[in-house]
Amino acid sequence: MSIQLRINEIVEKFNKYDDWEDRYRELIKFGKEIPEMDEQYKVEENKVKGCQSQVWLWPTFDEGIIHFQADSDAAIVKGIIGVLLYVYGQSTPMEILTTKPSFIDDIGLRQHLSMSRANGLNSMLKQISIYAMAFQAKSNMNG
């Protein structure tokens, strides 16, 4: 499934709710659906800097596709990373780099986060982009 189709699904899922309590429940559900992160990757160098909660993000690159493992110690934050992995996981570096996170605003998430969580969201997006740039550069050198 393409990134755009996954974005369309996310927007549709969240926008069917008028109430933000329901949207938060949906967000937490995304966090619960993240596959368990291998403990060996929950190390300092995989922590996303700039998040108030602990967030770990570990990428792997296989046959041109980036796969992520992630976890957080906070339910809402784990939901946020779950949404980001749903959209950006299983994608090529170029797909990630050319897909702006406008869906975050389309579902109204950014304006319903505290300042520290919004900063954490930006840090997660930045880290995903950094990994995508690194894997893109690596594939350009090998290709």
Side-chain angles (χ1 to χ4, degrees):
M1 181 188 314
S2 74
I3 270 190
Q4 194 52 57
L5 284 176
R6 292 191 301 259
I7 287 172
N8 293 348
E9 273 190 9
I10 292 279
V11 170
E12 198 175 295
K13 256 183 207 237
F14 280 88
N15 286 344
K16 73 181 177 189
Y17 301 113
D18 294 327
D19 182 356
W20 258 95
E21 284 301 310
D22 293 329
R23 288 185 186 200
Y24 280 127
R25 271 193 281 284
E26 186 68 37
L27 192 63
I28 290 168
K29 202 172 7 169
F30 268 94
K32 289 179 178 171
E33 291 171 3
I34 296 176
E36 191 71 29
M37 184 179 200
D38 195 326
E39 287 296 319
Q40 71 179 354
Y41 300 122
K42 290 184 183 179
V43 293
E44 192 61 37
E45 56 265 23
N46 294 334
K47 272 192 184 174
V48 177
K49 312 293 181 263
C51 291
Q52 192 173 13
S53 304
Q54 293 192 85
V55 179
W56 297 272
L57 185 62
W58 171 253
T60 53
F61 191 54
D62 186 38
E63 297 184 16
I65 303 292
I66 301 177
H67 306 272
F68 292 101
Q69 286 189 45
D71 199 4
S72 175
D73 60 353
I76 298 273
V77 176
K78 190 169 181 173
I80 293 169
I81 196 75
V83 167
L84 296 180
L85 295 191
Y86 184 80
V87 170
Y88 292 114
Q90 295 21 277
S91 301
T92 66
M94 193 50 71
E95 286 173 321
I96 291 171
L97 294 170
T98 58
T99 303
K100 299 292 176 233
S102 56
F103 64 92
I104 301 288
D105 295 317
D106 294 343
I107 64 175
L109 181 59
R110 198 181 306 269
Q111 49 276 39
H112 283 88
L113 294 176
S114 66
M115 183 65 81
S116 63
R117 283 202 181 124
N119 289 339
L121 167 64
N122 291 334
S123 297
M124 290 179 237
L125 287 165
K126 182 178 173 189
Q127 191 62 53
I128 288 169
S129 292
I130 288 169
Y131 285 136
M133 283 186 265
F135 287 127
Q136 183 64 41
K138 182 180 179 183
S139 61
N140 287 346
M141 288 185 336
N142 295 339

